[in-house]
Amino acid sequence: MTDNDENHLIAERRAKLQKLRERGVAFPNDFRRTALAGRLLEEHADASAEVLEGARLKVAVAGRMRAKRIMGKASFINLEDVSGTIQVFLQQATLGEVYEDFRTWDVGDIVAAEGSLFRTRTGELSVRAAGLRLLTKSLRPLPDKWHGVADTELRYRQRYVDLIVNEHSRKVFATRSKIVRQLREMLDARDFLEVETPMLQAIPGGAAARPFKTHHNALDLDMYLRIAPELYLKRLTVGGLERVYEINRNFRNEGVSTQHNPEFTMLELYQAYGDYHDIMQIVEDMFQGIADKLHGSRLIDYQGREYNLSRPFARLTIEQILCASIVDLDGARLRDVAYLRGVCDQMKVPFKSGDGAGKLQIELFERSGEATLIQPTFAYAYPAEVSPLSRSNDADPFLTDRFELFIGGREYANGFSELNDAEDQARRFRQQVERKDAGDEEAMYYDADYIRALEYGMPPAGGLGVGIDRLVMFFTNSASIRDVLLFPHLRPET
């Protein structure tokens, strides 16, 4: 359909709406439906034509007219609501003048019908209309085709149209809701308390990321959209809320890709008197439970590859992964800064002059190690240099008791035993400030109030962050994060 054709159709529809306005019947809101299409089809799936005729069950349905077939003095339309689509049979002899009005209505209009259930000669459950009303006049025609690469950006920009015509999209977002609901049910059953923490923060903390900055006029105070709720949630564990979680938005002023959006949804939780081993078990239970609930199987197909969630997830240290993924790497020199710089140069991995051995390890891991972690794998024992909020390992202070879950080379969760030593945390914050002063925009700020909270005493704890969007991508076989966000961020239309 060309732009001229569409503009002509829109003009025709506006003219029809004007006539409705003149008659005083545009956009009524006094109709109340009594039944949903999908439920009617389900509840009466086995009812014979004779049973339906005898019952004379009266129903009132409403939805978008998706198809219209006029056959002289009788017609059929398909009405689609949130639950499905049902056919409605119309007769001029029954509807009178309304039938003549109906002939001018368009596919895409919102229509209501009252009548009784019956089966057509072909056996299709339908509504025989005794009354018919136009509730909303659609001014724009629905697209003839909405699938394919050429329409991808339009689907994201005009999600409302995508949802109208694309059943798969509706199912993805229904599945997203189910996943979030199941996470809540799982955590509530384990005595976690759902809480809400500030979105606007004077000091952004809890992650290494560049924040969005804004200004509060009344307080004359620069503030930031949160990059993570972590430091506030851990303040709550100090206050005695021993198991807390939050499912909410984070904001990071970073690039946009198939895996990243400036605002995204995270599950973050903290469990007092637990460590990163306990948190790994929660993650494993979480993924397996979702697979069981949604698919009835722990074999999940994602983008053409099968992933097995039924076995205990593999557990490998960062250094083990590096040795396995980089040819001829000298495992005995993995903490030698000069040696690691040479490896980075050889592999053309960029680094900064102030990067220590831990940071260099992670640069190499992100370049070569992550892609090798195909089946569910916990990569753990992260260097302390890149884990400023994680508890140091008792046997090896170079490392922390931290893990990330990888599936298909992609990170899905980050967790660790929490650092609850106020003096150690203060020292690490100071190191982060030094990095920020040296030009690292993602380094953390010094949060004096959080240090004060730790000085009151925080119980030993384990914490976790899970990206909900990536989780939904995995369980809905969606290739891009934009497929699981109702309104992803895009460049402005030109």
Side-chain angles (χ1 to χ4, degrees):
M1 181 186 298
T2 67
D3 289 343
N4 286 337
D5 290 337
E6 184 175 33
N7 290 337
H8 176 71
L9 290 175
I10 291 173
E12 286 185 346
R13 293 189 179 204
R14 288 189 185 280
K16 292 177 183 179
L17 175 59
Q18 182 58 34
K19 290 181 179 179
L20 292 172
R21 293 188 192 280
E22 292 169 359
R23 292 167 54 189
V25 293
F27 302 103
N29 190 13
D30 57 352
F31 176 84
R32 299 296 176 261
R33 67 182 175 193
T34 63
L36 291 173
R39 292 180 185 173
L40 289 175
L41 295 172
E42 181 180 341
E43 292 171 2
H44 302 283
D46 300 325
S48 67
E50 293 74 20
V51 168
L52 291 172
E53 200 66 35
R56 295 187 178 181
L57 181 63
K58 302 296 183 183
V59 297
V61 295
R64 191 176 300 276
M65 185 165 62
R66 294 301 307 275
K68 173 183 178 183
R69 301 179 298 282
I70 297 178
M71 299 171 291
K73 297 182 179 181
S75 298
F76 287 96
I77 62 173
N78 289 346
L79 287 190
E80 183 178 69
D81 62 25
V82 68
S83 67
T85 303
I86 193 163
Q87 181 173 262
V88 180
F89 175 59
L90 317 174
Q91 289 178 298
Q92 185 181 48
T94 303
L95 298 173
E97 290 184 6
V98 174
Y99 186 82
E100 295 306 314
D101 290 339
F102 152 75
R103 295 169 70 96
T104 68
W105 299 352
D106 297 292
V107 170
D109 291 348
I110 308 295
V111 174
E114 296 177 283
S116 56
L117 289 179
F118 78 108
R119 286 200 185 277
T120 63
R121 293 177 181 176
T122 60
E124 183 172 354
L125 184 70
S126 304
V127 177
R128 181 182 286 111
L132 191 71
R133 296 183 68 187
L134 177 61
L135 301 182
T136 302
K137 181 65 199 164
S138 171
L139 297 180
R140 289 181 178 270
L142 297 177
D144 295 326
K145 296 180 180 178
W146 196 254
H147 303 285
V149 177
D151 295 317
T152 298
E153 186 170 336
L154 279 175
R155 288 179 50 228
Y156 300 148
R157 287 193 185 281
Q158 299 179 29
R159 180 68 80 188
Y160 39 88
V161 181
D162 178 40
L163 293 171
I164 291 172
V165 301
N166 190 342
E167 183 180 3
H168 175 73
S169 287
R170 295 196 296 273
K171 288 182 177 178
V172 165
F173 292 107
T175 300
R176 181 187 177 108
S177 180
K178 291 177 183 177
I179 289 172
V180 172
R181 189 182 310 122
Q182 183 170 351
L183 291 174
R184 284 193 166 100
E185 290 173 354
M186 172 188 170
L187 294 173
D188 292 347
R190 297 184 183 209
D191 295 326
F192 281 84
L193 177 68
E194 184 173 12
V195 297
E196 293 180 328
T197 60
M199 295 283 192
L200 283 173
Q201 301 179 352
I203 300 175
R210 182 189 301 179
F212 287 96
K213 187 176 181 179
T214 187
H215 187 79
H216 191 292
N217 292 332
L219 296 177
D220 192 21
L221 177 68
D222 285 341
M223 302 192 78
Y224 303 86
L225 292 177
R226 76 173 183 197
I227 54 177
E230 178 168 345
L231 301 187
Y232 282 91
L233 290 171
K234 289 197 282 194
R235 284 174 169 93
L236 297 179
T237 66
V238 171
L241 302 183
E242 295 181 351
R243 295 190 178 200
V244 293
Y245 76 94
E246 182 171 6
I247 299 176
N248 221 323
R249 291 296 179 111
N250 290 350
F251 306 84
R252 299 183 185 178
N253 201 349
E254 300 169 347
V256 176
S257 72
T258 58
Q259 297 185 48
H260 298 91
N261 195 66
E263 58 176 307
F264 58 97
T265 304
M266 285 283 290
L267 159 67
E268 198 152 317
L269 66 82
Y270 293 88
Q271 176 179 325
Y273 310 106
D275 65 7
Y276 75 121
H277 293 292
D278 299 308
I279 301 302
M280 279 193 265
Q281 189 58 56
I282 287 177
V283 174
E284 196 166 314
D285 293 345
M286 186 179 295
F287 273 73
Q288 292 175 343
I290 293 172
D292 292 343
K293 184 81 169 182
L294 292 182
H295 300 287
S297 170
R298 296 184 179 181
L299 297 177
I300 304 299
D301 179 77
Y302 180 71
Q303 298 299 294
R305 174 177 272 165
E306 186 176 77
Y307 297 92
N308 189 347
L309 305 185
S310 62
R311 297 189 295 262
F313 295 177
R315 303 188 182 196
L316 297 171
T317 68
I318 294 295
E319 293 184 352
Q320 286 174 331
I321 296 167
L322 287 173
C323 289
S325 61
I326 301 177
V327 177
D328 298 327
L329 186 70
D330 186 350
R333 302 180 66 186
L334 285 180
R335 301 182 186 180
D336 182 330
V337 173
Y339 172 70
L340 290 173
R341 285 178 176 173
V343 176
C344 287
D345 287 336
Q346 183 178 0
M347 297 179 61
K348 295 183 171 53
V349 174
F351 61 89
K352 297 177 182 176
S353 59
D355 290 346
K359 177 65 170 172
L360 294 170
Q361 281 189 10
I362 293 305
E363 294 291 347
L364 290 167
F365 170 70
E366 290 177 350
R367 173 64 65 88
S368 66
E370 289 184 359
T372 68
L373 307 179
I374 303 304
Q375 293 300 323
T377 302
F378 290 117
Y380 72 101
Y382 275 70
E385 183 181 355
V386 296
S387 310
L389 300 171
S390 306
R391 185 180 186 276
S392 295
N393 183 268
D394 290 332
D396 187 352
F398 178 82
L399 303 174
T400 60
D401 293 338
R402 175 188 171 194
F403 72 87
E404 289 186 330
L405 173 67
F406 289 86
I407 304 175
R410 180 178 295 176
E411 178 216 336
Y412 284 87
N414 177 30
F416 40 83
S417 298
E418 300 301 328
L419 176 59
N420 60 343
D421 180 335
E423 294 179 350
D424 188 7
Q425 183 66 80
R427 178 183 62 82
R428 295 203 210 177
F429 274 159
R430 287 192 291 269
Q431 291 175 341
Q432 289 289 301
V433 171
E434 291 174 1
R435 294 183 67 91
K436 186 172 287 293
D437 291 341
D440 186 349
E441 294 181 332
E442 294 187 350
M444 294 184 184
Y445 292 76
Y446 190 99
D447 190 332
D449 179 71
Y450 179 66
I451 298 300
R452 178 169 57 191
L454 291 184
E455 289 173 346
Y456 279 95
M458 172 181 161
L464 171 67
V466 177
I468 297 297
D469 307 311
R470 289 189 183 179
L471 188 68
V472 175
M473 287 172 63
F474 180 69
F475 282 107
T476 61
N477 196 17
S478 299
S480 171
I481 193 171
R482 294 176 178 178
D483 294 325
V484 301
L485 296 174
L486 282 168
F487 299 102
H489 288 277
L490 302 165
R491 293 185 184 277
E493 292 183 76
T494 57

